[in-house]
């Protein structure tokens, strides 16, 4: 994680570095720092906490250099203090790093024995020392960096400056994304193109193992073997970079309210509404021959995958294997020949998901991904990309990306089902029409915020909250609990309603709100029994359902009335109340909704 940026400019760059870092805060916000080169001298400013602390520091102690690097940190090794903040320095070398150096302890021991003094608890500092050490032995910056890179194990994106070299910056990428931006007489570097949006849209994405030497005249790129290579220059679309909160207090609120629009846009990408048919991109594999689908993802994207499993198995009749990516990659499950592996990721950069993709590729699987960032590594390494058209998602807690992932999953399930003859054209029409109604249903749900504000008062007093769901509503119970704990810091657990009596029922008393996600589908009666069991133990139930409140047959703390929809599309609509419950509870409690403590939007480390 962490965000990095670099500028070879024609005027003082500190403010522009901070501006770029602001766009990278989604990658971490434990501390921030910048270093610039002023007449050959390296100067840095760092601050613990959010970027505004660094801004205040720079206002008091400005930097004048025209060449600079910057960093926003998500702490892995070493506490989030100012001392551990990047850029790190050693004898005229300054670096910013995103990733983890796995062999840092060993390198640090060797360098310490040679007399290097380490100032921080980070893994990253060792990189500056390694390069400085090689320069001390007489190597020039490029040669020294090349030698240091060869000794690093782990994941990194790096930007490096050298005292005495005002027109030089070296970049390297292994396992963490990095983009080079071209300006007029200026050059840029960033963890993503969004960071560079105010300066340029003329971008080159470094590939795995690449490293590059940047001067104001351009960039020379080398591959892992040290061979000079050409990488494409692409124009990144300005539209995807427009980011503001509109009239909303938080990005998360804005993103929740954008759902009708972005779901419509995403559905329109896969549906011919005139014919009421799903039109999938060519998967490069005949759906009739798919023996198995394996899905892996992390966090909210994993829950989208869980819903997808119900849909694909139920409608397309294809067995689905699904696991959290961090488990899948080390479990190394046997995968059937002729299988399709599907990866779901908003950012397209999640390290564990990417590692799983590479494992599945090595097993001869066809690789498909559902991603929101089309230029991401996961998208680029996939055989086929099924994009979500959610637009940039800034709030750390995923909302619109989740419902767009569900939208794509739903289309995929229908498309596969039809291609395999598992549903008739009439059934396809019925399912497509149900999907077409979703944006309208969600717009309607978004008109009733007052109910959530009222419930937030009660939920904010709880120490523990339980979410229950059955069948396709089970992943929503998991997602509801995740949303609440991420942004309100209230302990919450999602459970399959049928598992209630195997453990969580022991927690129930009058202080534990139980949120039951239970559309009136073929499983509703079963969930009613679970509600009775909760009510009998004094539990306070919030029922989210399209049934009448009295259908629960017990006293409710609240009933969130849902529109009547098709059983197939319920996960899309029921996602919204669980988002709103978490959002309003967190805002009532005054937490940092868009940047909750300890979390980051894009998890590019294991
Ligand atoms: C982080 C984010 C979550 C996200 C997960 C997976 O934990 O905070 O919102 O669901 O990563 O990220 P991805 O980009 O792969 O969807």
């Amino acid at each position: 994680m962490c965000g990095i940026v670099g500028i070879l400019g024609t005027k003082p760059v500190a403010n522009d570095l901070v501006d770029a870092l602001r766009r990278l805060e989604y990658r971490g916000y434990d501390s921030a720092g910048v270093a610039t080169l002023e007449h050959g001298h390296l100067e840095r400013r760092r601050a613990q906490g959010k970027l505004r602390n660094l801004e205040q520091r720079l206002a008091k102690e400005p930097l004048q250099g025209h060449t600079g690097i910057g960093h926003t940190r998500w702490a892995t090794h070493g506490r989030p203090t100012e001392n551990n903040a990047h850029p790190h320095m050693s004898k005229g070398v300054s670096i910013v790093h995103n990733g983890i150096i796995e062999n840092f302890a060993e390198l640090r021991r060797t360098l310490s024995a040679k007399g290097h003094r380490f100032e921080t608890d980070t893994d990253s500092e060792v990189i500056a020392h390694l390069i400085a050490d090689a320069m001390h032995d007489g190597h020039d910056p490029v040669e020294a960096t090349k030698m240091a890179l060869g000794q690093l194990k782990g994941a990194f994106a790096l930007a490096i400056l050298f005292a005495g070299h005002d027109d030089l910056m070296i970049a390297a990428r292994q396992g963490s994304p990095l983009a080079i931006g071209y300006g007029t007489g200026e050059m840029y570097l960033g963890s993503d193109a969004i960071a560079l949006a105010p300066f340029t849209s003329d971008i080159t994405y470094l590939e795995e193992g690449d490293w590059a030497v940047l001067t104001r005249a351009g960039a020379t790129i080398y591959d892992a073997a040290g061979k000079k290579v050409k990488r494409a220059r692409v124009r990144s679309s300005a539209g995807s970079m427009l980011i503001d909160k509109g009239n909303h207090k938080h990005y998360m609120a804005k993103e929740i309210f954008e759902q009708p629009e972005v779901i419509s846009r995403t559905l329109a990408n896969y549906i011919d509404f005139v014919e009421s048919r799903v039109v999938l991109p060519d998967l490069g594999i005949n759906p009739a021959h798919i023996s198995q689908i394996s899905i892996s993802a992390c966090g909210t994207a994993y829950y989208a995958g869980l819903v997808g499993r119900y849909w694909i198995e139920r409608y397309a009749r294809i067995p689905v294997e699904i696991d959290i990516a961090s488990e899948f990659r080390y479990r190394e499950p046997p995968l059937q020949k002729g299988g399709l592996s599907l990866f779901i990721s908003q950012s397209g950069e999640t390290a564990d998901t990417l590692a799983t993709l590479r494992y599945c590729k090595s097993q001869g699987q066809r690789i498909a991904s559902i991603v929101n960032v089309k230029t991401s590594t996961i998208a680029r390494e996939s055989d086929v990309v099924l994009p979500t058209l959610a637009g940039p998602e800034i709030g750390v807690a995923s909302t619109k990306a989740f419902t767009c992932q569900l939208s794509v999953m739903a289309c995929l399930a229908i498309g596969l089902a039809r291609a395999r003859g598992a549903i008739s054209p009439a059934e396809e029409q019925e399912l497509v029409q149900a999907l077409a109604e979703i944006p309208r249903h969600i717009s309607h749900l978004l008109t009733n915020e007052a109910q959530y504000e009222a419930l937030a008062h009660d939920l904010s007093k709880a120490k523990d909250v339980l979410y229950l769901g059955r069948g396709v509503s089970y992943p929503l119970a998991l997602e509801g609990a995740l949303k609440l704990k991420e942004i309100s810091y209230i302990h919450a657990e999602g459970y399959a309603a049928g598992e209630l009596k195997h453990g969580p029922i022991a927690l129930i008393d009058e202080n534990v709100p139980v949120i039951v996600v239970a559309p009136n589908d073929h499983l509703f009666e079963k969930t009613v029994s679970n509600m009775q069991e909760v009510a009998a133990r004094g539990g306070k139930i919030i029922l989210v359902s399209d049934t009448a409140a009295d259908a629960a047959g017990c006293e409710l703390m609240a009933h969130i009335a849902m529109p009547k929809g098709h059983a197939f599309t319920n996960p899309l609509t029921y996602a919204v109340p669980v988002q709103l419950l978490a959002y309003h509870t967190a805002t009532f409690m005054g937490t940092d909704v868009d940047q909750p403590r300890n979390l980051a939007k894009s998890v590019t480390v294991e």
Side-chain angles (χ1 to χ4, degrees):
M1 290 171 7
C2 306
I4 69 174
V5 62
I7 303 177
L8 286 155
T10 48
K11 57 179 178 20
V13 291
N15 287 347
D16 284 347
L17 289 170
V18 170
D19 189 23
L21 288 176
R22 192 170 296 111
R23 290 159 176 266
L24 289 173
E25 261 194 309
Y26 73 91
R27 303 175 72 88
Y29 35 79
D30 288 335
S31 65
V34 295
T36 67
L37 270 168
E38 214 172 318
H39 306 301
H41 290 290
L42 279 167
E43 283 276 348
R44 70 177 165 180
R45 304 284 181 266
R46 301 178 295 168
Q48 184 173 343
K50 297 269 173 73
L51 201 52
R52 58 178 169 269
N53 300 347
L54 176 65
E55 279 181 282
Q56 283 165 8
R57 186 79 195 272
L58 280 164
K60 281 196 219 123
E61 302 165 64
L63 289 176
Q64 298 301 339
H66 292 194
T67 302
I69 52 178
H71 187 269
T72 178
R73 178 167 189 241
W74 186 80
T76 58
H77 296 50
R79 292 172 57 76
T81 56
E82 178 179 331
N83 188 54
N84 284 331
H86 299 221
H88 296 300
M89 306 257 229
S90 173
K91 297 184 187 134
V93 177
S94 182
I95 64 111
V96 285
H97 167 222
N98 163 32
I100 290 180
I101 304 303
E102 288 168 7
N103 58 338
F104 85 98
E106 180 193 324
L107 293 169
R108 195 168 160 136
R109 268 196 303 276
T110 314
L111 288 160
S112 298
K114 287 176 93 176
H116 284 260
R117 268 195 51 245
F118 285 83
E119 291 172 355
T120 76
D121 311 316
T122 66
D123 55 330
S124 313
E125 190 189 354
V126 80
I127 305 167
H129 286 268
L130 261 186
I131 301 171
D133 195 63
M135 288 178 71
H136 181 73
D137 289 346
H139 298 284
D140 68 22
V142 176
E143 198 52 37
T145 305
K146 191 176 162 189
M147 288 165 69
L149 293 177
Q151 296 180 65
L152 299 177
K153 288 201 187 113
F156 49 83
L158 293 171
I160 312 160
L161 293 184
F162 303 87
H165 297 266
D166 282 28
D167 192 22
L168 176 67
M169 183 181 302
I170 300 187
R173 181 215 154 131
Q174 178 174 302
S176 302
L178 201 53
I180 293 174
Y182 299 81
T184 316
E186 302 200 326
M187 289 293 289
Y188 309 94
L189 193 65
S191 293
D192 66 22
I194 292 177
L196 308 183
F199 320 118
T200 182
S201 56
D202 186 0
I203 299 289
T204 291
Y205 292 97
L206 289 185
E207 292 188 6
E208 199 54 17
D210 282 356
W211 58 286
V213 177
L214 276 67
T215 66
R216 284 175 180 76
T220 311
I221 304 176
Y222 302 89
D223 67 10
K227 205 171 114 237
K228 229 186 242 187
V229 284
K230 281 227 169 312
R231 302 287 181 222
R233 274 165 81 158
V234 294
R235 193 144 291 277
S236 65
S237 83
S240 68
M241 297 175 182
L242 296 174
I243 307 163
D244 66 52
K245 288 186 205 159
N247 296 327
H248 297 275
K249 212 166 137 194
H250 300 105
Y251 284 113
M252 184 178 177
K254 176 183 172 238
E255 289 158 5
I256 289 173
F257 276 78
E258 276 175 356
Q259 288 179 109
E261 193 196 324
V262 295
I263 291 172
S264 296
R265 207 192 301 158
T266 301
L267 289 174
N269 199 45
Y270 298 95
I271 292 177
D272 175 344
F273 284 109
V274 178
E275 300 284 332
S276 287
R277 273 184 70 115
V278 165
V279 185
L280 291 179
D282 182 7
L283 297 175
I285 183 169
N286 182 341
H289 298 158
I290 299 176
S291 51
Q292 184 195 39
I293 295 182
S294 59
I295 304 179
S296 56
C298 300
T300 290
Y302 168 67
Y303 297 146
L306 278 183
V307 173
R309 171 173 65 178
Y310 284 90
W311 282 337
I312 292 171
E313 292 192 336
R314 156 83 176 74
Y315 292 98
R317 310 302 299 156
I318 304 174
V320 175
E321 140 102 16
I322 177 163
D323 209 343
I324 298 160
S326 54
E327 289 299 316
F328 198 114
R329 65 182 289 193
Y330 294 115
R331 198 160 56 86
E332 298 186 351
L335 298 167
Q336 287 178 29
K337 225 170 151 256
L340 177 72
S341 290
L342 182 62
F343 303 89
I344 311 168
S345 176
Q346 188 284 126
S347 63
E349 300 292 350
T350 302
D352 285 315
T353 310
L354 182 58
T356 315
L357 181 155
R358 290 175 180 161
Y359 167 74
C360 293
K361 208 175 224 183
S362 74
Q363 299 298 300
Q365 301 288 293
R366 185 86 190 154
I367 308 293
S369 61
I370 298 179
V371 288
N372 198 39
V373 181
K374 283 194 219 165
T375 49
S376 61
T377 313
I378 290 178
R380 283 184 282 131
E381 295 197 13
S382 299
D383 297 320
V384 54
V385 177
L386 302 162
T388 48
L389 304 183
E393 190 180 64
I394 306 299
V396 164
S398 184
T399 52
K400 63 175 181 170
F402 176 64
T403 45
C404 286
Q405 286 159 354
L406 291 180
S407 305
V408 177
M409 271 291 184
C411 293
L412 181 63
I414 297 172
L416 290 173
R418 192 205 51 235
R420 291 165 69 89
I423 56 170
S424 66
E427 280 169 304
E428 176 175 20
Q429 254 187 20
E430 179 190 322
L431 298 177
V432 164
Q433 274 158 18
L435 279 174
E437 287 175 14
I438 291 302
R440 178 171 53 84
H441 284 319
I442 294 183
S443 300
H444 171 71
L445 284 171
L446 292 172
T447 59
N448 190 10
E449 276 198 283
Q451 185 180 17
Y452 299 94
E453 282 164 12
L455 281 170
H457 292 220
D458 295 315
L459 287 177
S460 67
K461 293 185 204 119
K463 272 189 122 150
D464 308 283
V465 177
L466 198 59
Y467 284 74
L468 297 178
R470 201 178 265 274
V472 85
S473 301
Y474 165 46
L476 289 175
L478 295 171
E479 170 62 3
L482 176 66
K483 282 286 90 81
L484 188 71
K485 71 183 138 201
E486 278 185 306
I487 60 171
S488 74
Y489 315 141
I490 296 172
H491 170 243
E493 283 198 58
Y495 252 91
E499 277 288 291
L500 177 70
K501 23 184 158 353
H502 299 292
I505 200 163
L507 298 175
I508 306 287
D509 65 19
E510 58 286 356
N511 299 315
V512 180
V514 181
I515 298 173
V516 183
V517 183
N520 190 12
D521 58 16
H522 65 295
L523 299 172
F524 182 71
E525 290 308 323
K526 303 272 177 209
T527 309
V528 166
S529 311
N530 302 127
M531 281 191 276
Q532 304 282 348
E533 290 153 13
V534 170
R537 285 153 184 93
K540 294 189 288 188
I541 298 170
I542 299 175
L543 173 63
V544 187
S545 181
D546 54 346
T547 52
D550 58 10
C554 58
E555 200 187 320
L556 299 177
M557 174 178 158
H559 172 229
I560 297 180
M562 296 296 290
K564 285 246 168 297
H566 194 290
F568 173 57
T569 53
N570 279 335
L572 278 149
T573 36
Y574 283 66
V576 177
V578 298
Q579 294 167 352
L580 289 172
L581 279 172
Y583 175 72
H584 285 289
T585 306
T587 44
F588 180 72
M589 293 172 79
T591 58
D592 191 342
V593 170
D594 285 330
Q595 296 185 330
R597 69 183 180 208
N598 304 341
L599 296 174
K601 181 80 185 147
S602 185
V603 182
T604 56
V605 292
E606 252 191 78

